[in-house]
Amino acid sequence: LKCRLKCSTNDAITEQQFESMAKECGVTDTVACRQLLMEAGCLVDFGSYIHLRPAVLLQQVNDWSVATETNIKLQSLIKEEADLRSNLSDPLRKLSNWRRLVWSVALAFSGLQMCIIAYLTFHESGVGWDVMEPVSYFIGCYTSLLFFCYLLRYRREHSYVGFDKTIVTPRLRGKYTRDFDWGKYDDLCANLKSLEGQSFHMTQWMKKN
């Protein structure tokens, strides 16, 4: 395990990665193994992440924000993510206009429906509440059935946030960005999140120690 950690191309790994490597090497008690390696100066444990280069880590303490390889990678990923995100500005604008149109039509229809029901109930002679009560009841039933169909189709209750996740996000990834490499962008965001967490934990450890 010690040789495998030494040959790793990463300066730091997650706790889950360490446990996986330890089990592959036949280690049963990963906690004790981790403690022994730390006491032997083979690694530095700083919570969710484990640094595999203690000597390199000590050299980086004085100028962490500039000198670390992790921070350099982080800045490179931030720039790359910003470049990719800039290609989404026009599709996002079009999608925002479409989303605003959808909700505007829905709210206008709901308001118009309420106005018609109120007018026929209180102002139209010969109609009144006796007629409009069952009409209002059936409108409510049909609305509930519509929401139930939505539940059956998308396996989630209707909500404004849920609608955005169910309809708007797939529309962005389908119609508006057919030429955009979403797989690359998702992997980039995952790596960026991982490096940000690694950088944060290492900085906190350095401040504490």
Side-chain angles (χ1 to χ4, degrees), residues 1-13 21 42 52-53:
L1 176 61
K2 181 179 177 181
C3 293
R4 185 168 179 180
L5 293 174
K6 187 176 181 180
C7 295
S8 175
T9 56
N10 298 319
D11 286 345
I13 60 176
M21 293 172 65
C42 298
L52 307 179
R53 312 282 188 268

Side-chain angles (χ1 to χ4, degrees), residues 45-61:
D45 188 349
F46 48 89
S48 302
Y49 290 87
I50 300 171
H51 202 286
L52 307 179
R53 312 282 188 268
V56 175
L57 183 63
L58 291 174
Q59 294 175 359
Q60 296 171 347
V61 170

Side-chain angles (χ1 to χ4, degrees), residues 10 30 51 67 73 79 98 116:
N10 298 319
T30 57
H51 202 286
K73 290 180 180 179
K79 184 179 183 301
W98 175 84
I116 292 174

